[in-house]
Amino acid sequence: MTAAQRLTTLVEHVRAAAGRVCPPERTASLVGEALRAYLPTRDVLTPAQLAGDPDSYTQHILHVEPDGLFSIVALVWLPGQATPIHDHLCWCVVGVVEGVESEVRYRLTERDGRACLVEDGVVENPSGSVCGFAPPGDIHRVRNVGTGTAVSIHVYGADISRVGTSIRRRYDLPAVPALR
Ligand SMILES: [Fe+2]
């Protein structure tokens, strides 16, 4: 199967999963099953796209559903590149195609009357792994912790070509240890 055919098959299965009326966490789980079964390979991107950008991780839109129900994008990360701490507008499912991505999760809380973040777990996602989540409570930061390029495929429950990004808010807040 070529990369294009595999993407077409993924789109069909994501369409079936995302079209079911159910809570967003369940949608993310169903879309995750589709992504796990039909995870694209790195050749879904051109060599120029796979080269990355030294300034920042880059996003390439692979598919937007005509009615805006979901979008599929590829992100390319050079070693050490990371997102800001952020959360999302919509459900999101991620599959790592190449490399290792580390995800740090946070909980928003208040300490002495000030908003702050408490680290709430770290997950390392190697190539082939798929995970999904739905807001609220999805504050996190992703970083390429490997020595080579990382590539991941993201399915978002929104029209990314219209809104530009799936990020709802960035959190420039101090991170504090959890209270014992
Ligand atoms: Fe994210």
Side-chain angles (χ1 to χ4, degrees), residues 83 86-88 92 94 133 138 140-142 154 156 166-167:
T83 65
H86 66 280
D87 61 6
H88 288 271
C92 175
V94 180
F133 51 83
D138 61 318
H140 66 163
R141 177 176 200 174
V142 180
H154 299 234
Y156 298 118
S166 67
I167 292 178

Side-chain angles (χ1 to χ4, degrees), residues 62-95:
L62 301 178
H63 174 84
V64 176
E65 192 68 351
D67 65 0
L69 184 64
F70 65 91
S71 305
I72 303 177
V73 310
L75 298 187
V76 178
W77 321 68
L78 297 180
Q81 289 185 332
T83 65
I85 299 174
H86 66 280
D87 61 6
H88 288 271
L89 296 164
C90 54
W91 58 260
C92 175
V93 178
V94 180

Side-chain angles (χ1 to χ4, degrees), residues 19-49:
R20 282 178 55 175
V21 177
C22 50
E25 311 80 54
R26 177 78 178 128
T27 301
S29 167
L30 292 169
V31 171
E33 288 173 20
L35 187 58
R36 198 169 286 114
Y38 301 100
L39 189 63
T41 44
R42 74 193 306 275
D43 55 351
V44 76
L45 295 175
T46 65
Q49 290 171 327

Side-chain angles (χ1 to χ4, degrees), residues 12 15 23 33 50 55 64 71 76 86 120 124 134 144 148 158 168 177:
E12 288 166 359
R15 183 177 295 135
E33 288 173 20
L50 288 167
D55 291 337
V64 176
S71 305
V76 178
H86 66 280
D120 202 23
E124 284 214 348
N144 174 6
R168 183 180 81 101

